[in-house]
Amino acid sequence: MGDYTELVFAATLKNDIPKYIMEQIQDYVNEIFNSGSCYFPVTRPHNELIYEEDIDKWTINIRCSVKDDGTTILSFIRFIKPYVKSGAGDNDFLGYTFMKMLKNQL
């Protein structure tokens, strides 16, 4: 199943996402990325899928630790990328992953 990997991801989503895709995104946020690990500073997940009605904008924020075999996070990124409007900054930074390091890796 793999080691725990910390995922930090944030993006503004496109406005024309079909309802069934939004439901799948919500499933990722609520079910797959709903775990934490004592290996990382944030031990509880902090996930939000927010719709700001007054400006018609969806944002997604994920910070969690997930048991990843190398495919879970990558599958999510490949799935959501076509629906991302923008990330942060000039380079549209979306986030990062971090795996725990073994003592002999330092």
Side-chain angles (χ1 to χ4, degrees):
M1 182 74 181
D3 287 326
Y4 279 98
T5 301
E6 182 178 38
L7 170 64
V8 177
F9 179 88
T12 299
L13 302 177
K14 295 178 180 177
N15 293 337
D16 59 349
I17 300 174
K19 184 178 178 180
Y20 75 96
I21 296 293
M22 287 304 295
E23 290 170 354
Q24 289 178 325
I25 293 170
Q26 188 72 49
D27 288 345
Y28 268 106
V29 170
N30 289 338
E31 296 172 21
I32 297 172
F33 296 132
N34 194 21
S35 60
S37 167
C38 63
Y39 294 115
F40 303 107
V42 176
T43 58
R44 295 183 189 165
H46 178 79
N47 303 326
E48 299 175 310
L49 183 60
I50 302 168
Y51 179 66
E52 297 176 67
E53 189 173 353
D54 55 331
I55 56 175
D56 191 31
K57 178 174 122 177
W58 280 101
T59 56
I60 183 170
N61 298 296
I62 298 172
R63 183 157 189 180
C64 68
S65 301
V66 63
K67 238 2 181 156
D68 190 16
D69 61 0
T71 62
T72 304
I73 294 172
L74 184 58
S75 294
F76 169 71
I77 299 301
R78 287 181 177 158
F79 165 74
I80 200 166
K81 188 97 167 98
Y83 306 106
V84 170
K85 181 177 180 180
S86 64
D90 293 338
N91 296 323
D92 282 332
F93 180 75
L94 297 176
Y96 65 87
T97 60
F98 184 78
M99 295 177 67
K100 77 176 181 108
M101 295 176 70
L102 302 175
K103 288 182 181 179
N104 62 358
Q105 290 177 312
L106 299 173

